[in-house]
Amino acid sequence: MNLKSKRDGARKEGPIRCIFFCEFHHTAGPMISCQVPENYISKELFDSISVYIITKAELQRSVITVTLHDYKILGFPVRIDDKDKYVRNAFHFNLCFVCDSDARTVQFETVVMKFSEYLVAREMESNFLSEGKVNKKLAPILTQVKNELNNKGECALIEGATTTHLKVCTIRLDPTPVMDHQVPIFIRELPEQQWDLTTQQVTPFIDGFNHVAKIAVLSDVENNLVKACVQNLVYYGVVALIPLFQYGNVYCTTPKLKMMVQDIDLQQKCLNYVAKNPRQLPAIRDVFRMYAAMTRGTTIRDLCVRFNPSNLRINERKLVQFGVLEGIIRRVQKYPVIVAEYSDLHKSLSGAASLDELCCSIGVASQQLEDQLERDNNVMLLWK
Amino acid sequence: MEVSPLCIILVKSDSKGDRLLFRYPFQTQHNNEPSSTRRKNPYTLPVVDDLLQSPNQPYSNINKENLTGFTDEVLSSLFAVKTELCNRKFELKVNDVRFVSHPTLLQLRNKQEKEDESGMLINIVFALQALASHSVVKCYHDLSKRMGIVLKYEEKRCGYVSEQTQLMTTAHDDGYTNGPSSAFKIILEKCSLANNIKKMYDDLCTTGLVNLRINRWIPLSFCLPQKVHQWHMRGKIVEPEDIDRCLSALRPYHSLLLLHPLHQKNDFTSLDGSPSLDRMLTQYSPLKNLQTLAADSDLTLTHVFELTAHLVYWAKATVIFPICSTNKYVISPNAPIHLNSPLVEKFSDTFPGLNLIRVISEFSLPTSLGQKCNPLCHPSQQSQLVQTIIWLLQHHLLLQLHTYIQYMPTDNGPLLNKGDHTKKLLTSPSPRSSTVMLNYQPNVTTERTESESGASTVSETPEIPLTKNIILENASFTSAEDDKQDYQEELLLDFPDEERTSIFKIPATNTPEDLKLFAKLCRKEYFQGNQHVEEIMYIENLRRSQLLQLLDKFRDVLITYETEDPAIAMFSCSS
């Protein structure tokens, strides 16, 4: 997951460098009639790529992105047919955004489409584009859009009584489905806005310790609705999903543990997070020792007996939470697999479902289930 | 994310205009169920609010993994690029399809020599899904570029391109009456270039390994790493950068693990005619590290690294820490082990009588090879054990744990004055310190007797008797206690006061060898969690027992933890 976000980061979301409006002139052919800032795209360059900007009929109303050596040009070619109004029976135009060639531009696609639709509407109503002096009329609008989208990510075009809103929406990956046994936890403040009723009802129970099925019971909301709501919050990066905390859980360290010492900011964040009392911060040595002692085969209960975290001013539940959220530690799940030849348990104990999942689906305490499985010689517990 | 191409398109443009010569696949499946996806429920009410919204939804040009919605004319006009855009990367995204290519200008070999500057543009375009990542696009661009170079050369050598394009154009002109699809069929029968394109498409879609011989003359090999690693790591996309990162972390103590049995090596030595690869493979063993492998096959280490990089990139091998009795293994976090997994059957085919689940369950807790072998074991059992571990590693089911060490002298961790640290490190062998060394050497014997009862000294340097003789001659016999203070202060002079006091609370600091080794390793920053025990052993030429004893003696300031080596673990778990 971390790798992935890093890789996406490599293709950053760059600003809009230039916006230009081009049209098919009835005598001069394809030409740029308005450009902000001026002469960003040279005439020669435009001529070499005009086939992708003023396109053939079949490519009308498609989002087209051309990546050149230095620029990336994003456009949405449009044609308005009107035999009476136009010399060539139709008016072709395209409004293009120009970005750096290594920037991501997917998030601008809908903006370009909507902006073009806005221009189409104005052209059809008042010949805004075709009656001349396009440059003078359009330049202030393009400047406004470019500046506001770059600075605020949104922009409102007001024309008389109507307002057109343009907003850049970041495209994120689809969130994975939420499972019953997972625990949602806020990783940033819930943005202040009018959330839907389900979310309003569910969020008070998201405390980082209740799992989804429990939240459904506590909030008296149907299970699938809770899942949908949590998934939505995950999509917006407000909530992260972590495994259920139990004293019988086993965790193991990841290579990221060394960052606890090397990264002072992370260290401070951690100490503040895991402190039992915010006024008395624990020592990093104790925190590190506890993390380092998390190995396969050592439960949190064992660690508590060995270290007595409350004496060390550490809240062990918060310790685990922080470790999992930052990727310093990882939960080691147990997967029961049945090795007997014929058994009606083949389906549930196939090794695909972890102990947590099983407990949640059949509603048994994990200790009880584990004890029972351990007594059975035909069941292997795989830790991974 | 799907990395296979949707379509490969061949476009030419010359003085006679542009033309789409061939595309593959060209069979358009006739939809028997017309636009079933768009069929609406007749009972739905039109949503009134949506009338204000723009009615057109983003349009898709992909239908069941096929490119749709473009006529050949449109495609040819798009890819017959202007000369300004030639011989460089071309990337165009239309709706949800991304086209990538390297338009190549070639000089036609004219038999009649009537047109002097008859240049032709040839463009091999790959249509990909727009979601394809930057690195996938880069790889396809590279393939298109290579193809362009090959065609340019072949045209120069024997006019291959003119001949093939002529054939294709004729087929198009003749077959026009029967529809374009039939023309493509004829082209596929007649033209070797079209056949090559078909084979390229099929290879890219199945294995990701392309092995062509253009015009039965020039070999073209290409590997799409994002695809080719799928066969041994299903569902995980391996990016070229990941491989680069792994290879840059390659050390001489690592070892190569082939993913195929050695007798199949002919399959992949053909990719590279290098005889050194052959030589290396004859000496190959997963128990050898790269350094030994280099020595045995009489190659330089750097060359062995290059060969390893090659094999890893082409998904023929992976990198592991050589299998030895002290290696600790656990089940890899994403190991696809369940009853319905095909691996279960594959395992019992390879090792009759063994059950994958039972074998791997022994690795639920960190287990070393040494623990699993008991002295009563029959040698054949032991070799089978090694074989099973190799098999499990080849299938990325096991993960090796290494011990890392973190220096933690005080409650607040190490004081971070790294700049100071390194400066001291560089100037450490000053003449002053060497005299100190001489001073403290004499009381080695006394210290020894003291420590005999407790822990033994860590470093049993064989030179001691020898140097002692020399030193005894000119040693100044001051009080032993003063001396001890002196050398301790000197040794840790570059450590902050606070750290020094906590280090001196450890009894082992009374043993000069221990303290010396500790100070040395600490100064070289081995205790920052960046190097695992095996690496420290390798670089410093220490024995495991030496290092482990030191860690134990200094456990108050050194915290150890076990985790995977991030450099080589990328193949076993996607973190």
Side-chain angles (χ1 to χ4, degrees):
Chain A
M1 197 63 214
N2 267 322
L3 276 177
K4 206 170 244 169
S5 64
K6 224 179 267 170
R7 209 174 289 135
D8 285 348
R11 301 202 69 191
K12 58 199 187 303
E13 292 185 356
I16 304 168
R17 296 287 176 199
C18 163
I19 301 181
F20 67 84
F21 172 83
C22 61
E23 60 184 303
F24 188 85
H25 192 266
H26 55 90
T27 51
M31 56 178 278
I32 298 182
S33 11
C34 180
Q35 184 169 191
V36 174
E38 273 180 49
N39 295 325
Y40 192 83
I41 297 293
S42 65
K43 178 90 174 63
E44 294 73 39
L45 182 67
F46 178 73
D47 285 344
S48 70
I49 53 163
S50 63
V51 63
Y52 311 111
I53 292 174
I54 301 295
T55 61
K56 293 207 170 189
E58 286 163 83
L59 294 175
Q60 295 291 335
R61 309 193 77 85
S62 313
V63 182
I64 297 181
T65 313
V66 201
T67 310
L68 301 171
H69 195 252
D70 326 287
Y71 311 112
K72 203 167 187 177
I73 300 173
L74 170 72
F76 184 69
V78 180
R79 182 181 66 179
I80 305 169
D81 287 307
D82 196 326
K83 275 184 191 155
D84 310 323
K85 212 151 82 180
Y86 306 116
V87 185
R88 290 219 183 182
N89 297 339
F91 182 69
H92 294 257
F93 78 90
N94 192 349
L95 183 105
C96 299
F97 284 14
V98 184
C99 296
D100 294 334
S101 65
D102 57 346
R104 272 170 63 102
T105 54
V106 202
Q107 72 277 15
F108 294 127
E109 286 184 359
T110 44
V111 180
V112 168
M113 284 166 75
K114 191 166 179 187
F115 197 12
S116 296
E117 296 289 351
Y118 165 80
L119 293 178
V120 169
R122 288 196 68 177
E123 165 67 19
M124 286 169 58
E125 279 166 15
S126 62
N127 298 340
F128 179 70
L129 300 170
S130 56
E131 68 180 7
K133 288 189 227 146
V134 185
N135 192 8
K136 213 171 129 197
K137 282 190 283 186
L138 215 49
I141 301 180
L142 297 190
T143 318
Q144 182 202 351
V145 170
K146 176 174 163 284
N147 291 342
E148 291 191 12
L149 286 187
N150 279 345
N151 298 334
K152 291 189 291 185
E154 55 186 41
C155 172
L157 299 171
I158 302 163
E159 172 59 29
T162 54
T163 312
T164 306
H165 295 276
L166 301 177
K167 186 169 164 53
V168 183
C169 294
T170 29
I171 312 284
R172 292 171 227 241
L173 294 174
D174 289 348
T176 47
V178 179
M179 311 281 274
D180 266 338
H181 64 277
Q182 285 175 316
V183 176
I185 177 170
F186 282 113
I187 47 177
R188 62 186 175 94
E189 290 268 310
L190 187 69
E192 288 265 341
Q193 55 170 290
Q194 198 66 43
W195 287 95
D196 58 280
L197 289 176
T198 319
T199 309
Q200 286 180 31
Q201 207 167 337
V202 164
T203 44
F205 299 98
I206 297 182
D207 61 354
F209 299 106
N210 292 335
H211 58 277
V212 170
K214 192 172 176 190
I215 291 172
V217 174
L218 290 175
S219 59
D220 196 20
V221 175
E222 207 265 324
N223 195 314
N224 285 319
L225 287 177
V226 175
K227 283 183 191 167
C229 159
V230 169
Q231 198 176 13
N232 184 44
L233 292 173
V234 170
Y235 179 81
Y236 286 107
V238 181
V239 152
L241 292 172
I242 56 174
L244 185 62
F245 178 86
Q246 281 168 310
Y247 281 94
N249 281 2
V250 175
Y251 296 85
C252 68
T253 50
T254 70
K256 228 190 144 190
L257 181 59
K258 66 180 182 199
M259 297 315 291
M260 278 288 289
V261 177
Q262 294 176 7
D263 183 348
I264 293 294
D265 296 336
L266 181 72
Q267 201 181 91
Q268 276 311 315
K269 204 171 135 195
C270 172
L271 292 183
N272 287 319
Y273 194 94
V274 305
K276 217 172 156 58
N277 179 345
R279 263 170 283 173
Q280 278 188 307
L281 294 187
I284 179 66
R285 172 148 65 168
D286 299 325
V287 172
F288 196 92
R289 244 180 229 288
M290 277 195 79
Y291 276 134
M294 292 182 185
T295 54
R296 291 165 178 82
T298 315
T299 60
I300 297 300
R301 194 184 302 115
D302 300 340
L303 288 180
C304 289
V305 172
R306 200 190 303 170
F307 288 97
N308 194 0
S310 61
N311 260 5
L312 303 174
R313 305 187 291 272
I314 297 174
N315 180 344
E316 68 278 359
R317 289 163 67 125
K318 291 275 205 168
L319 182 82
V320 167
Q321 228 172 46
F322 185 84
V324 171
L325 280 177
E326 292 293 331
I328 294 168
I329 54 172
R330 190 175 62 72
R331 171 88 192 270
V332 178
Q333 299 266 19
K334 291 169 206 154
Y335 291 83
V337 187
I338 192 151
V339 282
E341 278 295 307
Y342 301 102
S343 167
D344 47 353
L345 290 171
H346 258 281
K347 210 168 171 190
S348 53
L349 300 184
S350 74
S354 67
L355 208 59
D356 269 10
E357 266 176 270
L358 290 173
C359 289
C360 215
S361 62
I362 55 180
V364 180
S366 70
Q367 194 60 50
Q368 195 185 339
L369 184 65
E370 204 182 329
D371 288 347
Q372 202 173 347
L373 291 176
E374 244 153 36
R375 275 199 298 273
D376 191 339
N377 277 335
N378 284 325
V379 177
M380 295 278 155
L381 272 184
L382 302 183
W383 300 34
K384 58 181 183 184
Chain B
M1 182 177 59
E2 187 54 57
V3 294
S4 306
L6 298 167
C7 188
I8 305 181
I9 302 154
L10 175 68
V11 170
K12 66 114 198 185
S13 164
D14 56 8
S15 49
K16 289 172 202 136
D18 55 74
R19 185 146 210 182
L20 183 137
L21 292 175
F22 187 65
R23 68 183 153 84
Y24 192 85
F26 51 81
Q27 292 94 346
T28 42
Q29 281 126 345
H30 297 289
N31 275 357
N32 291 333
E33 355 122 54
S35 58
S36 56
T37 46
R38 267 181 235 160
R39 191 168 59 204
K40 280 201 174 155
N41 185 343
Y43 304 106
T44 47
L45 288 170
V47 184
V48 185
D49 298 339
D50 277 1
L51 288 174
L52 295 172
Q53 298 284 326
S54 50
N56 54 311
Q57 289 302 308
Y59 184 69
S60 173
N61 287 109
I62 301 171
N63 178 24
K64 292 178 191 158
E65 312 269 298
N66 272 307
L67 190 64
T68 60
F70 299 110
T71 60
D72 291 355
E73 287 73 33
V74 169
L75 289 175
S76 96
S77 74
L78 284 179
F79 304 132
V81 299
K82 297 262 167 49
T83 26
E84 293 90 340
L85 302 180
C86 280
N87 296 332
R88 54 167 65 187
K89 184 176 170 191
F90 172 81
E91 192 183 333
L92 177 74
K93 177 171 168 271
V94 179
N95 294 325
D96 54 354
V97 183
R98 195 182 290 276
F99 299 97
V100 59
S101 73
H102 189 91
T104 310
L105 265 184
L106 25 102
Q107 206 61 46
L108 283 190
R109 193 182 134 110
N110 253 334
K111 281 163 197 148
Q112 295 89 12
E113 286 173 34
K114 53 182 178 185
E115 289 165 83
D116 284 337
E117 24 85 69
S118 56
M120 184 200 256
L121 170 88
I122 206 98
N123 199 355
I124 296 135
V125 187
F126 294 95
L128 311 172
Q129 299 196 0
L131 289 172
S133 75
H134 200 52
S135 64
V136 175
V137 172
K138 216 166 129 189
C139 288
Y140 277 107
H141 168 238
D142 187 44
L143 179 56
S144 175
K145 189 173 170 183
R146 284 194 211 188
M147 191 75 183
I149 293 169
V150 170
L151 292 180
K152 200 168 172 177
Y153 176 81
E154 275 303 277
E155 174 63 22
K156 205 172 157 195
R157 191 177 69 92
C158 60
Y160 177 63
V161 179
S162 348
E163 178 208 319
Q164 292 289 314
T165 47
Q166 190 56 48
L167 268 174
M168 291 187 197
T169 324
T170 323
H172 276 295
D173 293 343
D174 294 348
Y176 200 74
T177 44
N178 305 335
S181 190
S182 72
F184 287 134
K185 244 176 237 159
I186 295 164
I187 289 172
L188 194 58
E189 279 164 24
K190 283 187 182 164
C191 297
S192 59
L193 184 59
N195 257 309
N196 284 333
I197 289 176
K198 175 183 185 294
K199 183 157 187 294
M200 190 192 283
Y201 175 85
D202 291 340
D203 285 349
L204 285 171
C205 287
T206 49
T207 58
L209 280 178
V210 177
N211 231 331
L212 293 178
R213 212 161 258 277
I214 309 281
N215 197 16
R216 278 173 281 158
W217 182 250
I218 301 185
L220 179 82
S221 321
F222 173 81
C223 156
L224 186 68
Q226 293 88 345
K227 182 95 189 177
V228 79
H229 287 271
Q230 289 282 318
W231 78 266
H232 63 108
M233 280 180 283
R234 194 146 294 283
K236 180 165 167 12
I237 304 273
V238 176
E239 298 284 345
E241 303 157 36
D242 296 339
I243 302 173
D244 289 346
R245 204 174 322 119
C246 169
L247 295 176
S248 62
L250 210 58
R251 296 277 180 276
Y253 57 76
H254 282 140
S255 121
L256 187 69
L257 175 67
L258 292 184
L259 298 172
H260 298 267
L262 198 56
H263 56 78
Q264 283 179 15
K265 75 175 174 162
N266 286 340
D267 291 351
F268 50 96
T269 42
S270 63
L271 329 147
D272 175 85
S274 165
S276 49
L277 182 63
D278 246 343
R279 195 143 53 130
M280 185 179 86
L281 291 177
T282 52
Q283 297 298 325
Y284 160 80
S285 155
L287 310 180
K288 281 182 194 171
N289 63 24
L290 294 175
Q291 199 170 27
T292 323
L293 192 60
D296 288 354
S297 49
D298 199 16
L299 295 168
T300 60
L301 189 60
T302 26
H303 191 56
V304 168
F305 274 23
E306 282 160 10
L307 293 173
T308 307
H310 177 80
L311 290 174
V312 169
Y313 189 89
W314 288 74
K316 303 297 181 195
T318 181
V319 177
I320 56 167
F321 189 83
I323 299 167
C324 62
S325 63
T326 46
N327 285 1
K328 272 187 180 177
Y329 295 106
V330 289
I331 308 177
S332 157
N334 293 345
I337 313 167
H338 45 86
L339 290 178
N340 307 323
S341 158
L343 288 176
V344 175
E345 213 157 290
K346 202 174 162 193
F347 184 82
S348 36
D349 286 350
T350 325
F351 303 101
L354 288 182
N355 181 328
L356 175 64
I357 308 279
R358 280 190 197 276
V359 169
I360 206 160
S361 73
E362 294 173 27
F363 293 98
S364 278
L365 295 179
T367 309
S368 68
L369 221 57
Q371 277 170 291
K372 294 199 68 185
C373 295
N374 63 55
L376 300 173
C377 245
H378 195 267
S380 71
Q381 275 177 309
Q382 201 173 332
S383 89
Q384 191 183 32
L385 179 67
V386 174
Q387 290 304 320
T388 50
I389 287 183
I390 291 175
W391 192 93
L392 294 173
L393 285 171
Q394 279 174 333
H395 292 81
H396 310 285
L397 300 180
L398 289 186
L399 186 69
Q400 189 181 350
L401 292 185
H402 292 273
T403 304
Y404 288 83
I405 308 147
Q406 179 63 52
Y407 172 60
M408 190 67 79
T410 63
D411 273 352
N412 302 320
L415 302 168
L416 291 159
N417 47 351
K418 277 192 180 142
D420 197 31
H421 235 259
T422 45
K423 212 192 295 166
K424 279 276 159 51
L425 174 70
L426 290 171
T427 57
S428 64
S430 64
R432 175 100 176 81
S433 62
S434 63
T435 57
V436 176
M437 298 284 217
L438 286 178
N439 275 344
Y440 77 71
Q441 287 287 14
N443 46 31
V444 166
T445 40
T446 53
E447 289 291 331
R448 261 247 165 118
T449 44
E450 270 175 31
S451 60
E452 216 84 289
S453 52
S456 64
T457 42
V458 169
S459 59
E460 291 153 357
T461 37
E463 313 95 77
I464 284 179
L466 193 123
T467 46
K468 196 168 66 183
N469 287 342
I470 307 161
I471 296 153
L472 276 174
E473 287 172 5
N474 52 2
S476 55
F477 286 91
T478 45
S479 109
E481 197 53 33
D482 278 1
D483 256 12
K484 186 191 137 192
Q485 286 301 328
D486 224 28
Y487 81 75
Q488 282 183 338
E489 295 293 318
E490 278 293 329
L491 263 180
L492 301 180
L493 203 58
D494 49 341
F495 286 70
D497 288 339
E498 221 177 312
E499 291 186 10
R500 219 172 328 163
T501 33
S502 65
I503 294 172
F504 284 140
K505 284 185 195 144
I506 300 169
T509 47
N510 292 333
T511 328
E513 281 80 19
D514 290 352
L515 186 60
K516 215 170 87 186
L517 183 64
F518 171 77
K520 185 176 98 178
L521 296 181
C522 212
R523 282 203 192 93
K524 290 194 176 176
E525 299 191 355
Y526 286 124
F527 300 150
Q528 307 283 336
N530 293 325
Q531 280 102 348
H532 49 69
V533 168
E534 283 79 12
E535 181 156 357
I536 302 171
M537 280 163 52
Y538 176 80
I539 302 176
E540 291 299 317
N541 201 15
L542 291 170
R543 267 175 289 129
R544 182 178 294 271
S545 57
Q546 279 177 303
L547 194 55
L548 292 186
Q549 277 181 38
L550 183 84
L551 295 183
D552 187 46
K553 284 181 186 170
F554 287 86
R555 62 178 175 271
D556 291 341
V557 291
L558 297 178
I559 303 176
T560 58
Y561 59 95
E562 285 180 337
T563 188
E564 66 265 16
D565 181 356
I568 56 172
M570 61 149 280
F571 286 118
S572 44
C573 64
S574 56
S575 50

